[in-house]
């Protein structure tokens, strides 16, 4: 029997079952004795404008004499152990943590992900929503007999400094190559599921015994982004999580009456939870061109709203609501073994909590219609835009700050580097690696030639010494070239070092660009703004948007 159910009547608030032990300083599970329980549940009035009764945690507080254990327990729960339920923090709720631990399902994905979670590094989590039909009331959804495909996929990148995060949606109908996938079997052996070429992304999970590690490997194969962990949920997760927070506010530009998903909503804002929330996420005939890409936009809007609701004071100040949320979240999730402990999930939650919602950007992998199809049903990567987006994620560059950073970089360069500039085609530069990752000099040269119009860039190999900052050394007669290159790379005036020139492979004088430890990737400016911004539609978690 679970912790909440042990020795409790239905009218007892779960929050009241956890009391502070003054001798140990820990919170312990203490169901009230039978004699202390009310014989008759308190009447509950329906919340204004809602057709469902409010959960127990929203009832008026029971009256108790000041100083009684029950009164102190409620106050201590509210004031001191909110984080326990939200993120199972510390040892204060050891028994409850043990209970939550038993809720989480884990999958061993081998070397598809990271074996640990580090609080001081950026991390990437693949969020997967499957179309598996398990669970009460879900018989009418998904494909009958399906093992559960990767129906909804979001690659969540959280920056190293926790100032921003990018939630990048991967269309399920994106044509990809699925690599061979080693999968751990129930008896401990490893079976390699053969890969596939030119198929939908959603087939990277379920089919042929592919586990979430196969979806993680598929992301790396097609984007170059290494995925650290995964979190997977099915239909029930949407129902239980939205019910745990008393519903999520959504907005539609036009009234919706979808016969297939059974979603009926008036134009404007509405509250959805449970079955209705699931219908909102699954409907694809009510938005845009009735396809999966427009459904993705509605899903992003929904997730932003759910984030705001979970972080709201209404949720955080309700111990019972927090407990329901902890129960729902842990029961709903399947995660990789490396993060399967509640303590690790707590760490991830606390790291995510540091990111302001205004800096959580939602975007979709840039795609275009599959040219091989007459009737358009699938999409392929947009070769012009997608690599730039993937590079930004790999290089820990924020989508939310990119435009403002570009403007600041241009203004700084214009102010510090006043004077004439040469054309990019006139720039001659030798690139050295002075502390950047291996291969950076070669990658930067490739970008300068192909992406910046600097044909006379060459790779000079490793510098004589490692340096913290990237520098550009030039002779006096190369000042116009230096200004031009600084503008392309986002280099500040302080990074330019007047000095001498070197002789390049053609025997001509060239400047020396030495990449330091601050180098963040080819084509990425040192102020963390990419030298050229990919043209992608994006939204942020702090703003309400209406699906149309």
């Amino acid at each position: 029997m679970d912790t909440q159910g042990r020795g409790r009547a239905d009218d007892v608030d779960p929050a009241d079952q956890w009391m502070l032990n003054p001798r140990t300083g820990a919170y312990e599970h203490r169901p009230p004795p039978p004699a202390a329980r009310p014989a008759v549940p308190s009447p509950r009035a329906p919340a204004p404008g809602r057709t469902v009764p409010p959960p127990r945690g929203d009832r008026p507080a029971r009256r108790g004499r000041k100083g009684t254990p029950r009164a102190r327990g409620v106050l201590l729960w509210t004031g001191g152990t909110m984080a326990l339920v939200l993120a199972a923090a510390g040892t204060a709720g050891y028994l409850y943590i043990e209970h939550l631990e038993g809720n989480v399902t884990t999958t061993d994905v081998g070397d598809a992900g990271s074996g640990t979670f580090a609080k001081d590094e950026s991390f990437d989590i693949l969020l997967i929503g499957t179309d598996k039909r398990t669970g009460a009331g879900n018989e009418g959804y998904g494909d009958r007999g399906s093992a559960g495909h990767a129906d909804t996929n979001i690659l969540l990148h959280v920056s190293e400094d926790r100032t921003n995060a990018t939630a990048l949606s991967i269309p399920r109908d994106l044509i990809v190559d699925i690599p061979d996938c080693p999968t751990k079997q129930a008896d401990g052996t490893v079976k390699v599921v053969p890969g596939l070429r030119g198929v939908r992304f959603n087939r990277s999970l379920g089919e042929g015994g592919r586990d979430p590690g196969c979806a993680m490997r598929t992301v790396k194969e097609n984007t170059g982004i290494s995925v650290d962990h995964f979190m997977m949920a099915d239909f029930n997760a949407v129902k239980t999580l939205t019910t745990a927070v008393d519903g999520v506010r959504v907005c539609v530009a036009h009234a919706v009456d979808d016969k297939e998903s059974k979603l009926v909503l008036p134009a404007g804002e509405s509250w959805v939870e449970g079955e209705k929330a699931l219908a909102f996420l699954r409907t694809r005939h009510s938005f845009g061109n009735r396809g999966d890409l427009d459904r993705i936009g509605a899903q992003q809007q929904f997730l932003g709203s759910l984030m705001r609701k979970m972080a709201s004071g209404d949720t955080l100040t309700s111990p019972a609501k927090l407990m329901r949320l902890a129960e729902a979240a842990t029961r709903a999730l399947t995660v990789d073994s490396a993060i399967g402990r509640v303590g690790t999930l707590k760490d991830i939650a606390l790291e995510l909590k540091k990111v302001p919602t205004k800096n959580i950007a939602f975007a979709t992998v840039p795609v275009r219609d599959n040219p091989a199809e007459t009737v358009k049903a699938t999409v392929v990567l947009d070769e012009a835009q997608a690599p730039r987006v993937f590079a930004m994620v790999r290089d820990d560059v924020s989508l939310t700050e990119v435009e403002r950073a570009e403007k600041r970089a241009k203004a700084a360069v214009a102010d510090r580097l006043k004077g004439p500039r040469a054309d990019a085609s006139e720039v001659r530069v030798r690139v050295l690696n002075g502390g950047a990752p291996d291969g950076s000099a070669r990658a930067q040269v490739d970008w300068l030639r192909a992406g910046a119009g600097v044909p006379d860039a060459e790779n000079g190999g490793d510098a004589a010494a490692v340096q913290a900052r990237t520098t550009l050394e030039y002779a006096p007669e190369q000042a116009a070239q230096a200004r031009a290159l600084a503008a392309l790379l986002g280099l500040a005036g302080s990074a330019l070092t007047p000095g001498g020139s070197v002789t390049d492979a053609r025997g001509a004088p060239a400047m020396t660009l030495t990449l330091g430890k601050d180098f963040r990737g080819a084509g990425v400016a040192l102020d963390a703004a990419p030298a050229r911004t990919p043209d992608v539609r994006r939204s942020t978690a702090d703003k309400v948007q209406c699906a149309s």
Side-chain angles (χ1 to χ4, degrees):
M1 185 178 293
D2 65 35
T3 307
Q4 288 191 64
R6 247 190 330 258
R8 57 162 289 187
D10 288 342
D11 63 320
V12 177
D13 194 318
D16 292 342
Q17 297 187 355
W18 292 84
M19 299 295 180
L20 179 68
N21 185 329
R23 295 192 304 275
T24 65
Y27 283 81
E28 299 175 354
H29 184 267
R30 296 181 184 175
R37 299 178 196 146
V40 181
S42 303
R44 296 178 231 160
R50 297 175 63 85
T51 58
V52 295
R56 295 184 182 92
D58 289 338
R59 291 197 305 247
R62 286 183 292 275
R63 296 184 180 274
R65 289 177 300 173
K66 185 176 181 180
T68 63
R70 172 171 291 188
R72 287 198 303 269
V74 174
L75 291 173
L76 288 167
W77 252 97
T78 304
T81 59
M82 232 165 25
L84 167 71
V85 186
L86 181 63
T91 59
Y94 178 76
L95 292 177
Y96 191 59
I97 292 175
E98 290 243 308
H99 162 66
L100 293 177
E101 200 91 66
N103 289 346
V104 182
T105 302
T106 61
T107 297
D108 184 353
V109 297
D111 62 0
S114 173
T116 59
F117 174 74
K119 297 181 184 180
D120 57 351
E121 298 176 0
S122 63
F123 59 91
D124 297 272
I125 301 178
L126 182 62
L127 309 176
I128 307 172
T130 76
D131 56 2
K132 199 169 184 179
R133 296 162 56 110
T134 56
N138 297 325
E139 297 82 2
Y141 300 123
D143 299 325
R144 186 177 298 277
S146 169
H149 293 109
D151 191 57
T152 299
N153 311 279
I154 297 176
L155 180 62
L156 177 64
H157 172 81
V158 180
S159 70
E160 182 175 347
D161 61 9
R162 306 300 187 252
T163 61
N164 65 86
T166 299
L168 189 63
S169 292
I170 303 173
R172 70 176 193 174
D173 296 328
L174 174 65
I175 296 300
V176 296
D177 292 336
I178 299 175
D180 293 346
C181 181
T183 59
K184 183 71 70 70
Q185 305 299 299
D187 61 1
T189 61
V190 175
K191 171 187 174 183
V192 177
V193 182
L196 298 170
R197 299 293 173 187
V199 297
R200 283 178 167 89
F201 182 90
N202 71 336
R203 295 177 65 182
S204 65
L205 176 70
E207 183 179 305
R210 292 186 180 90
D211 65 10
C214 299
M216 296 166 69
R217 296 176 193 274
T218 302
V219 170
K220 183 175 182 179
E221 174 85 5
N222 293 272
T223 69
I225 301 169
S226 297
V227 183
D228 299 305
H229 307 287
F230 84 87
M231 293 183 179
M232 184 171 67
D234 58 17
F235 295 146
N236 283 328
V238 177
K239 297 180 183 180
T240 56
L241 285 173
T242 54
T243 300
V245 296
D246 288 348
V248 172
R249 189 191 301 273
V250 297
C251 182
V252 293
H254 308 285
V256 173
D257 188 357
D258 188 338
K259 300 298 188 294
E260 294 194 24
S261 69
K262 308 296 189 296
L263 179 66
V264 178
L265 290 175
E269 294 187 345
S270 300
W271 285 92
V272 296
E273 66 177 86
E275 204 74 42
K276 198 167 206 176
L278 181 59
F280 181 85
L281 290 177
R282 288 189 53 78
T283 187
R284 62 163 55 205
H285 300 288
S286 303
F287 309 124
N289 62 5
R290 302 164 64 89
D292 190 52
L293 293 180
D294 291 292
R295 182 178 71 152
I296 285 175
Q299 291 170 344
Q300 292 172 346
Q301 179 226 118
F302 177 91
L303 288 174
S305 183
L306 179 59
M307 287 179 181
R308 292 191 299 273
K309 185 62 184 293
M310 290 173 67
S312 69
D314 179 55
T315 300
L316 296 179
T317 56
S318 171
K321 191 177 293 185
L322 288 172
M323 283 191 76
R324 292 200 308 275
L325 188 55
E327 288 286 340
T330 51
R331 289 185 184 277
L333 288 178
T334 298
V335 301
D336 57 285
S337 302
I339 60 172
R341 296 190 62 82
V342 168
T344 308
L345 292 174
K346 173 263 297 184
D347 290 339
I348 293 175
L350 292 179
E351 294 305 306
L352 281 170
K353 193 172 180 290
K354 296 176 182 177
V355 183
T357 54
K358 68 178 182 179
N359 289 342
I360 300 176
F362 290 99
T364 303
V365 169
V367 296
R368 58 187 179 89
D369 288 336
N370 188 349
E373 296 176 334
T374 302
V375 178
K376 304 303 180 185
T378 61
V379 293
V380 296
L381 290 177
D382 182 334
E383 298 90 344
Q385 302 293 339
R388 297 181 190 177
V389 174
F390 299 152
M392 291 176 70
V393 174
R394 287 195 304 269
D395 298 328
D396 202 22
V397 178
S398 167
L399 276 176
T400 55
E401 288 292 323
V402 63
E403 292 177 351
R404 281 174 285 182
E406 273 189 323
K407 292 178 181 178
R408 289 195 298 269
K410 290 177 180 177
V413 169
D415 183 57
R416 297 175 186 174
L417 303 174
K418 292 179 180 178
R421 298 178 189 172
D423 187 79
S425 62
E426 301 173 348
V427 172
R428 306 186 78 91
V429 62
R430 192 164 183 248
V431 183
L432 304 179
N433 190 334
D438 291 345
S440 293
R442 182 179 63 253
Q444 184 73 340
V445 167
D446 291 343
W447 180 84
L448 285 169
R449 291 174 177 172
V454 181
D456 294 317
E458 68 176 32
N459 181 6
D462 291 336
V466 172
Q467 58 190 53
R469 298 179 63 244
T470 296
T471 59
L472 176 63
E473 183 177 358
Y474 63 98
E477 64 273 15
Q478 296 169 320
Q481 292 186 46
R483 297 186 191 103
L485 189 58
L488 285 171
L489 302 180
L491 283 173
S494 60
L496 274 62
T497 306
S501 63
V502 296
T503 302
D504 66 13
R506 298 184 181 182
M511 301 179 292
T512 300
L513 175 67
T514 304
L515 307 179
K517 291 182 178 180
D518 60 347
F519 181 72
R520 305 191 68 160
V524 179
L526 294 180
D527 62 354
R532 294 190 179 183
T533 307
D535 183 19
V536 294
R537 185 174 63 182
R538 51 190 178 269
S539 60
T540 52
D542 64 317
K543 296 178 181 177
V544 178
Q545 293 188 326
C546 293
S548 59

